[in-house]
Amino acid sequence: MLNKIWMAMVTLSLLYSMINGTAPETVSAGIASCSDSLTLLVTMLGMLCFFNGFLRIADNAGITKGIARLLRPLLGRLFPDVPQNSDGFRFITMNFTANLLGMGNAATPFGISAMERLEKQNLQKGTASHAMCMLVVLNTASVQLIPSTILALRMNYGASDPYGIILPVWICSLVSLTAGILAACRFRRKEEALW
Amino acid sequence: MPFPPKRGSTVVSVLSRWALPLFLLLILLCAVRHRTDGYSAFLEGAAESLRIICQILPPVVGLMIGIAMLRASGLLSLLARLLAPVTGWLGMPAELLPLALLRPISGSGGTAILADLLKAYGADSLVGNMASVMAGSTETTFYTLAVYFGAVRISDSRYALKAALIADAAGILASVFVSRLFFS
């Protein structure tokens, strides 16, 4: 899908620029953006090292496990079909906690392991169970305590108050998460009412 | 001591600014109590960052080229003008539409657009702030679905996509509303 989008962006821009006579400027802008991107990525590298470094300390210091324990009651209510002492539940908890701490790359393997366990428990193989749908919703609604990439970008572009967005982001992420959870539960009830 | 909050903003601004320093201190104190080798852990995390940047470099460069060309050719302004009635009704500046649309599809794409918006409108503008909040409240949907369901060969995802898109839409609308509240 990204293929179609990117091809459309570049092709249509080029075509349109030829119609309105800005073709040379458009191509130069494209080329100039490359050095901008590099500068951006290098600055981001520095800031990401800062944040990811601290988050790794958090992880090694057992904060991840601590947060996971706090989340058990909540996650238990969201995944009523998954036994709380199962591996599947444990993976779900670690996945959510990793996302919370902004460690997306750690979250994904946990998420996949969780899916595998859920599929084993699944009575209808090949069809998503409610727990699977809920897990996916939890992963697509970004809830991060510290949105490090965005902070890094804001600092790079000279924001006078880079952290000012943290509280708004928390609020909006919660709204997004709640909406997704409610929608999933509602769809489930509708489907099961039809049986 | 930066205690009296700057910009007259109050509790909200103070909380946001102190959240990170307190969080960092918490991490360090836990590390001490847990007798973790903090420095090694830091180095591991930093090394991971290099890997992440290398992975996102090609898509970010590619998408920024696309966005730069969209802007320079005037096509982006055209699209924004066409969609102005919709976004105006929502209270969302039209410039944020590419972000709202692309972010659920591509994480790096969304990041690239955010970078572009911050550069073009400044990180302190309403557009810049709203874009930051919007980027923080939504996440790649299609890719996540593909990875998670693909990993276990699920072919019928039932309501997962619908629920996820509802979450995205809610996040986007919330960020428009909340940003207006906080930043204007």
Side-chain angles (χ1 to χ4, degrees):
Chain A
M1 194 190 226
L2 200 51
N3 173 47
K4 292 190 207 137
I5 292 177
W6 186 78
M7 289 291 283
M9 279 172 110
V10 182
T11 315
L12 293 175
S13 302
L14 205 48
L15 276 171
Y16 188 66
S17 72
M18 290 186 178
I19 298 172
N20 69 10
T22 54
E25 291 84 0
T26 301
V27 174
S28 314
I31 296 175
S33 79
C34 295
S35 54
D36 283 341
S37 304
L38 251 314
T39 319
L40 171 67
L41 285 165
V42 168
T43 316
M44 275 185 71
L45 177 59
M47 292 177 185
L48 270 186
C49 284
F50 180 92
F51 288 113
N52 283 356
F54 276 94
L55 286 170
R56 184 61 68 97
I57 299 179
D59 191 30
N60 287 16
I63 290 186
T64 315
K65 295 217 183 80
I67 295 184
R69 243 182 310 135
L70 287 172
L71 290 173
R72 278 190 148 238
L74 174 66
L75 290 176
R77 310 244 326 255
L78 291 177
F79 293 94
D81 310 325
V82 184
Q84 289 204 16
N85 54 6
S86 65
D87 278 344
F89 191 79
R90 205 169 55 87
F91 284 127
I92 291 173
T93 313
M94 294 307 288
N95 166 265
F96 189 71
T97 310
N99 273 320
L100 208 56
L101 291 177
M103 300 188 290
N105 288 301
T108 308
F110 284 129
I112 293 180
S113 298
M115 288 296 274
E116 286 168 358
R117 296 296 185 285
L118 291 177
E119 177 68 344
K120 265 196 221 150
Q121 280 192 281
N122 193 7
L123 295 172
Q124 295 173 287
K125 305 283 176 204
T127 300
S129 60
H130 177 69
M132 287 181 186
C133 291
M134 184 62 78
L135 182 62
V136 166
V137 168
L138 289 187
N139 276 278
T140 62
S142 140
V143 187
Q144 278 183 279
L145 287 175
I146 310 281
S148 44
T149 317
I150 298 174
L151 285 177
L153 279 173
R154 287 174 63 82
M155 289 188 231
N156 185 49
Y157 288 109
S160 62
D161 181 19
Y163 308 108
I165 49 122
I166 293 182
L167 192 56
V169 168
W170 284 353
I171 295 174
C172 296
S173 302
L174 279 174
V175 169
S176 169
L177 185 65
T178 313
I181 292 174
L182 290 175
C185 291
R186 182 116 192 290
F187 286 131
R188 177 190 205 181
R189 255 177 284 136
K190 275 172 98 175
E191 274 190 20
E192 287 173 5
L194 291 170
W195 280 67
Chain B
M1 265 306 299
F3 209 87
K6 292 192 268 189
R7 300 164 95 220
S9 253
T10 70
V11 188
V12 156
S13 170
V14 170
L15 270 178
S16 294
R17 286 171 58 230
W18 284 71
L20 186 58
L22 286 172
F23 188 53
L24 292 179
L25 188 61
L26 176 72
I27 292 176
L28 292 168
L29 292 176
C30 283
V32 169
R33 209 167 59 110
H34 211 253
R35 296 202 205 124
T36 322
D37 184 347
Y39 186 57
S40 304
F42 184 89
L43 295 178
E44 278 170 36
E48 172 78 359
S49 304
L50 181 61
R51 215 181 51 79
I52 297 174
I53 293 285
C54 288
Q55 228 177 333
I56 69 172
L57 191 141
V60 168
V61 171
L63 281 151
M64 291 201 79
I65 292 174
I67 295 166
M69 290 177 73
L70 269 180
R71 257 191 208 290
S73 63
L75 191 53
L76 194 61
S77 320
L78 178 68
L79 288 170
R81 257 177 296 142
L82 288 174
L83 288 159
V86 173
T87 55
W89 176 74
L90 289 171
M92 171 165 79
E95 298 83 351
L96 272 90
L97 200 61
L99 181 64
L101 293 175
L102 196 60
R103 182 70 163 176
I105 298 174
S106 159
S108 341
T111 309
I113 297 184
L114 174 62
D116 178 72
L117 285 170
L118 288 173
K119 187 168 63 153
Y121 296 94
D124 291 326
S125 61
L126 177 64
V127 171
N129 282 315
M130 198 182 283
S132 307
V133 177
M134 199 178 283
S137 335
T138 53
E139 194 45 87
T140 25
T141 303
F142 295 95
Y143 174 72
T144 309
L145 246 94
V147 168
Y148 280 52
F149 285 131
V152 285
R153 310 270 153 79
I154 297 277
S155 44
D156 179 8
S157 60
R158 289 167 74 197
Y159 44 81
L161 181 60
K162 278 188 285 182
L165 289 175
I166 287 177
D168 286 337
I172 291 171
L173 291 173
S175 38
V176 173
F177 184 64
V178 170
S179 300
R180 282 200 176 278
L181 219 64
F182 276 66
F183 300 114
S184 59

